[in-house]
Amino acid sequence: MGERYEVIVVGAGAAGLMSAATAADRGRRVLVLDHARRPGRKLLASGGGHCNFTHLDSGPAHFLSDNPRFCISALQRYTPYDFLALLERYGLGYEDRGGGQLFCRQGSRAILEMLHGERSRAGAELRTATPVRAVRRHEAGYSLATAGGELACESLVIATGGLSLPRSGASGFGYAVARQLGVPVRPTRPGLVPLVLPAALQERLAPLAGISVPAGVACGDAAFHEALLITHRGLSGPAALQASSYWRPGEALHLDLLPGQAPREALEAQRRRRPRATLQRYLEGHLPKRLARAVVELHGLTGPLQGYRNADLDAAAAALADWRVTPVDTEGYRKAEVTVGGVDTRALSSKTLAVRDQPGLFFVGEVLDVTGQLGGHNLQWAWSSGVAAGRFA
């Protein structure tokens, strides 16, 4: 059976380190394994290196899952304020960059060092550059084959993340283990990822690459009002990234270039007051000039407003407040911040995060079918799910 531990955590990222420290605090003998020499690269990239470590309003409404109530228990038992208390114990500062999105003043590396400090303080051991080659279940728990030999444990925590940002070391290991051990896995797709537009529209919008405007982006029942960025290949920025987690191939996005405004009424008033004015001139008061010109040309909305019939005003308002574009693809996992889908949470206890018919097997973090919106929700899920499993592993 090789070396034996009470708990082995596979994955030394955010969720794995929280699980390890929590379990070790209970007196459990814990080992953390990671295939990378320097794990935690995805955490280091969070918030552009400044680590958007939580959102004060993190709750089930900010998560996407086929089992939407699953996340409630863990989020309620380890809240953003619990993580803030941990930061304060380590003397780390933070700032709210709008709407409850909290960033670490000392940066992402300080958060990673804090997590390792907690792991070390609690007595959990870490082995890096140690990929797991195989996992077997047996009566006493689980055995893991590694390059360094066989390991055994009573409780096994899988915290290996999803498929997003493969350059950070992401892989499908967690899904493979789940399937091997009979745990269902829901289909996965890239989330929080730039969207690719059809070639003809790309060509028309390419000269506008780099322009960012406040906008509304809706996909199905989900709608977001944040910055929208035009890229050489399509759409990015917070509004598009948020919508991408909900988008499926063939679906149209609904773009509102004048959020919070009533363009139909405004255009009618403009036609009365300044009948010789053009739609482009009106738009230049609300959008960058190059974007205003492109919108007018794309929709054929030229000429003075005095020549517009009511039906023309309706069409112009729709082009501004409900411009429908259908992406052809996303930029894929290489640019995705998260993976949507994953281990089916219906197979797990929402209290312990253990597989219901295999109480020694736990899954935490991004590997699960729980995906947060932009703004710190995904790291809060890492903290909350990691602690939930660590209390029972």
Side-chain angles (χ1 to χ4, degrees):
M1 297 287 288
E3 293 181 82
R4 186 166 187 81
Y5 290 81
E6 290 174 302
V7 181
I8 292 180
V9 179
V10 183
L17 292 175
M18 287 296 278
S19 287
T22 304
D25 267 335
R26 296 170 42 232
R28 303 283 278 172
R29 186 171 182 234
V30 180
L31 172 65
V32 185
L33 300 175
D34 201 286
H35 68 286
R37 291 189 179 278
R38 295 182 178 178
R41 290 174 62 188
K42 191 169 184 180
L43 177 61
L44 291 175
S46 168
H50 298 284
C51 199
N52 181 193
F53 63 85
T54 193
H55 194 297
L56 291 177
D57 190 33
S58 212
H62 297 286
F63 289 87
L64 176 63
S65 173
D66 191 61
N67 183 18
R69 295 186 60 81
F70 177 82
C71 64
I72 295 174
S73 177
L75 291 171
Q76 287 182 340
R77 286 180 291 126
Y78 192 86
T79 72
Y81 296 95
D82 292 314
F83 195 77
L84 284 179
L86 177 60
L87 257 69
E88 289 167 357
R89 288 205 301 273
Y90 277 78
L92 298 182
Y94 57 89
E95 57 188 27
D96 188 334
R97 295 193 181 176
Q101 300 180 62
L102 302 189
F103 288 75
C104 180
R105 286 201 179 100
Q106 289 82 4
S108 299
R109 187 164 297 280
I111 296 287
L112 183 59
E113 291 173 354
M114 178 191 73
L115 295 175
H116 280 296
E118 280 292 280
R119 173 195 58 76
S120 179
R121 176 198 57 75
E125 183 183 340
L126 172 67
R127 294 185 193 175
T128 59
T130 306
V132 176
R133 295 175 174 173
V135 175
R136 280 191 307 110
R137 183 185 179 193
H138 49 75
E139 289 184 5
Y142 298 87
S143 61
L144 289 73
T146 75
E150 189 94 351
L151 300 168
C153 60
E154 297 171 13
S155 295
L156 176 62
V157 181
I158 303 297
T160 51
L163 297 168
S164 57
L165 294 179
R167 66 180 180 275
S168 70
S171 73
F173 176 83
Y175 308 135
V177 170
R179 293 187 180 100
Q180 175 197 332
L181 298 176
V183 183
V185 178
R186 295 196 57 77
T188 61
R189 64 183 190 275
L192 299 180
V193 60
L195 293 158
V196 179
L197 294 177
L201 189 53
Q202 276 187 43
E203 185 177 354
R204 300 289 295 273
L205 295 181
L208 307 177
I211 289 180
S212 177
V213 294
V217 179
C219 183
D221 295 330
F224 303 93
H225 291 83
E226 300 184 63
L228 177 68
L229 174 68
I230 299 173
T231 71
H232 283 95
R233 285 169 49 83
L235 302 174
S236 188
L241 295 179
Q242 297 274 43
S244 73
S245 294
Y246 298 82
W247 179 77
R248 300 295 185 95
E251 289 184 327
L253 299 180
H254 299 256
L255 309 185
D256 182 358
L257 298 179
L258 299 174
Q261 300 184 45
R264 176 62 175 81
E265 291 79 358
L267 289 174
E268 186 166 3
Q270 182 83 338
R271 182 177 63 177
R272 287 197 307 268
R273 290 195 306 265
R274 301 182 60 193
R276 294 184 180 180
T278 63
L279 178 62
Q280 181 174 331
R281 178 60 61 88
Y282 168 76
L283 285 181
E284 287 176 353
H286 304 277
L287 300 173
K289 288 185 177 182
R290 286 190 296 146
L291 178 57
R293 182 171 63 251
V295 169
V296 167
E297 293 173 352
L298 276 168
H299 296 284
L301 300 170
T302 57
L305 290 174
Q306 65 183 1
Y308 281 50
R309 298 166 299 170
N310 286 338
D312 297 326
L313 291 183
D314 291 338
L320 301 175
D322 190 18
W323 179 14
R324 301 185 184 189
V325 299
T326 303
V328 294
D329 204 350
T330 73
E331 292 285 5
Y333 289 114
R334 67 189 181 90
K335 289 193 176 181
E337 294 189 25
V338 294
T339 303
V340 180
V343 174
D344 193 338
T345 59
R346 289 186 172 86
L348 276 64
S349 161
S350 63
K351 179 180 180 181
T352 67
L353 272 71
V355 177
R356 294 184 187 281
D357 59 1
Q358 299 181 54
L361 178 61
F362 301 77
F363 291 87
V364 298
E366 189 184 350
V367 72
L368 289 167
D369 176 28
V370 177
T371 305
Q373 296 173 355
L374 206 63
H377 299 288
N378 284 293
L379 276 178
Q380 182 57 46
W381 175 243
W383 317 136
S384 296
S385 62
V387 168
R391 288 171 175 167
F392 293 92

